[in-house]
Amino acid sequence: MLPQEFLDRMKAQLGEEYPSFLESLERPRAVALRFNPMKGQPELPFVGGQVPWEPMGYYYDSTSRPGLHPYHEAGVYYLQEASAMAPVQLLDPQPDERICDLCAAPGGKSTQIAGRMGGKGFLLCNEWNSKRAAVLSRNIERMGISNALVTNEHPQRLAERLEGFFDRVLIDAPCSGEGMFRKEEAAVTDWSPETVQMCARRQAEILHSGAQLVRPGGRLVYSTCTFAPEENELAVAAFLKEHPEFEPDPVYAPWFVAGENGTYRMWPHKLLGEGHFAAVLRKKEADEKDHSIPAGEKLPKEWMAFAKDLQIELPEGRALTFGRGLYWVPADMPDLRGLKVLRPGLELGEVKKDRFEPAHALALWLKDCRTVVHLQPDGREVDAYLRGNVLQSNVKGWCLVTVGGFSLGWGKGDGQQLKNHYPKGLRKLG
């Protein structure tokens, strides 16, 4: 049962469309996934028609369980609600740009942005909730993204350090979740008019911080998965009044219903997806701020020997020691000392007693290397590998383990057996 106060407001909002809206909430929801363009797009029996607003998005059979397929662990696709793919289309990220996803967990939009960037440029993925930030970091790793930094900071802290640094900023703001009523029962039970007002106040604070991050001439996209005007059109109108340096930035979006001030809505009775809102704004031209970019470190000889042996070539970037690990970070990553950084870039691995031990993240990023063990997606060996078992193999030394041609993890052979280096925390149980 939906809250009566919500229904009364929606009836006033939609008028004659209200019955169609209610009917749409009774239909089974459409489920979708988005292929990772940096991995490829295999044919899968459970994948159906394309999501109209996302070239890599597809609906899938709701009775299937794609999250259990080994391709999911290989980062071949990300399970994502179809309408949630639209804000990144409006953001229109480009390679070689500096982009910030300010409220990024669990990582759907961040990984979508990364796919558009193609491993080039600098992507900052931030989440202020520490548990959700850990999930975000895991998804960045799983999708094999090399040019992303994961932070666990309040947006205002980032704004103070990185004012005017980003070409594009996405704020997929925490909201009252009315667009998820059909998907999540908790969204219904947690809803109240007071929650809407609380979310609107919090969104205004986040928008203010996000505005500071955008460079002059840059784009800001604000999105929610709620129908409440207080969190959508009214929030954008108040923001534009407070920030005259921004103006609407019209875009081509035929799948949205366009409104005033660069705002757009997606309605569940007009498409295969849940409710969503977005606004596209541009920061007017002005003088830009300079940000210091630290110099890179020298790569250790242990890495150089490992990379030479497996014929691994890194993309443009620079080395950074972070904790005990060696990372490869985007070339124009600014100085972030003092901020809570979970993942500064692509984790290469760790030097241990004059040898190099590669990270799982490096395996997921790689497409190929000199030594590869190929597993079939429907075979017993891939299941054994995901459970952490030893495999039979004549390979000697480190090798990349793939499933259906997609990188899955590391193994190390002695000529007879392949020691399993799939992370213990990710292994299947039973």
Side-chain angles (χ1 to χ4, degrees):
M1 294 292 292
L2 296 177
Q4 189 59 47
E5 290 171 290
F6 167 77
L7 294 174
D8 292 342
R9 194 197 72 218
M10 294 308 302
K11 185 174 183 179
Q13 273 184 254
L14 288 168
E16 62 183 19
E17 292 187 29
Y18 179 66
S20 297
F21 170 76
L22 282 185
E23 184 181 350
S24 73
L25 299 184
E26 298 298 322
R27 295 198 305 261
R29 67 184 185 90
V31 288
L33 58 79
R34 178 177 40 76
F35 284 107
N36 184 351
M38 293 182 288
K39 294 277 186 174
Q41 190 172 330
E43 291 188 9
L44 295 170
F46 51 80
V47 173
Q50 187 176 17
V51 175
W53 45 89
E54 169 50 57
M56 301 300 289
Y58 289 82
Y59 298 101
Y60 66 85
D61 180 0
S62 61
T63 63
S64 65
R65 303 179 71 183
L68 300 180
H69 197 285
Y71 281 173
H72 181 266
E73 293 308 307
V76 176
Y77 52 77
Y78 190 104
L79 304 181
Q80 186 178 23
E81 198 279 312
S83 294
M85 301 178 191
V88 172
Q89 176 74 12
L90 298 175
L91 186 70
D92 193 26
Q94 300 296 318
D96 295 317
E97 289 186 329
R98 299 171 177 178
I99 299 177
C100 175
D101 185 356
L102 194 55
C103 307
K109 294 178 176 66
S110 284
T111 56
Q112 188 180 5
I113 292 169
R116 300 291 184 95
M117 297 176 75
K120 298 179 180 179
F122 171 57
L123 172 61
L124 188 148
C125 315
N126 181 68
E127 172 58 46
W128 67 39
N129 180 292
S130 58
K131 290 184 179 179
R132 286 170 55 81
V135 175
L136 167 65
S137 184
R138 167 71 187 109
N139 281 322
I140 292 295
E141 176 179 284
R142 181 174 64 85
M143 301 298 280
I145 297 167
S146 65
N147 62 325
L149 171 86
V150 178
T151 56
N152 172 211
E153 279 290 355
H154 190 283
Q156 188 53 40
R157 281 270 291 158
L158 292 180
E160 291 167 358
R161 291 287 299 276
L162 298 173
E163 182 179 355
F165 185 77
F166 295 97
D167 298 291
R168 301 172 198 261
V169 173
L170 174 65
I171 301 175
D172 186 47
C175 67
S176 58
E178 296 172 358
M180 295 293 107
F181 279 179
R182 179 168 56 173
K183 180 182 176 184
E184 298 176 5
E185 184 177 343
V188 179
T189 57
D190 292 343
W191 184 91
S192 71
E194 292 75 23
T195 299
V196 171
Q197 296 300 327
M198 178 199 70
C199 289
R201 290 191 295 271
R202 181 170 54 181
Q203 289 152 359
E205 295 177 2
I206 300 172
L207 265 168
H208 176 70
S209 299
Q212 295 173 260
L213 293 167
V214 184
R215 69 161 178 82
R219 175 174 287 184
L220 172 65
V221 171
Y222 169 74
S223 65
T224 74
C225 59
T226 192
F227 302 115
E230 296 92 331
E231 302 178 65
N232 295 334
E233 290 89 353
L234 295 178
V236 173
F239 171 80
L240 289 173
K241 185 176 181 180
E242 185 179 352
H243 292 271
E245 73 275 21
F246 279 85
E247 62 187 0
D249 191 9
V251 295
Y252 177 71
W255 9 269
F256 272 103
V257 177
E260 296 181 350
N261 291 327
T263 61
Y264 303 85
R265 279 185 178 266
M266 299 182 86
W267 293 101
H269 60 289
K270 294 179 178 291
L271 47 80
L272 281 177
E274 307 302 326
H276 230 83
F277 168 88
V280 186
L281 309 172
R282 188 183 74 88
K283 196 171 193 176
K284 299 174 185 177
E285 298 286 353
D287 294 335
E288 295 195 33
K289 288 185 173 291
D290 292 326
H291 292 269
S292 62
I293 307 296
E297 303 173 10
K298 185 178 180 180
L299 284 164
K301 64 181 187 298
E302 293 84 359
W303 159 261
M304 299 299 289
F306 174 83
K308 182 179 179 181
D309 183 50
L310 288 181
Q311 298 178 351
I312 297 173
E313 293 186 9
L314 295 172
E316 181 183 359
R318 54 188 171 88
L320 174 70
T321 301
F322 184 76
R324 294 188 300 177
L326 178 67
Y327 285 76
W328 193 248
V329 305
D332 59 349
M333 188 178 81
D335 185 358
L336 298 176
R337 285 176 294 183
L339 295 177
K340 296 177 184 176
V341 177
L342 273 66
R343 177 179 295 274
L346 173 64
E347 185 180 8
L348 301 180
E350 185 179 346
V351 176
K352 293 184 175 181
K353 296 181 181 179
D354 298 324
R355 63 181 174 84
F356 190 81
E357 184 158 320
H360 184 58
L362 177 63
L364 291 173
W365 170 76
L366 281 171
K367 293 181 174 64
D368 197 9
C369 68
R370 194 190 70 173
T371 309
V372 180
V373 171
H374 300 284
L375 306 179
Q376 295 302 315
D378 54 355
R380 292 183 178 179
E381 282 191 312
V382 70
D383 185 67
Y385 179 77
L386 292 173
R387 293 179 187 277
N389 297 337
V390 172
L391 302 181
Q392 301 302 309
S393 173
N394 59 4
V395 166
K396 290 186 177 181
W398 286 103
C399 67
L400 182 67
V401 179
T402 68
V403 55
F406 300 106
S407 57
L408 190 58
W410 292 110
K412 192 174 184 181
D414 61 7
Q416 295 182 327
Q417 291 185 324
L418 194 68
K419 184 179 179 181
N420 196 316
H421 282 263
Y422 194 70
K424 293 181 179 179
L426 301 178
R427 293 176 182 178
K428 289 184 175 181
L429 302 177

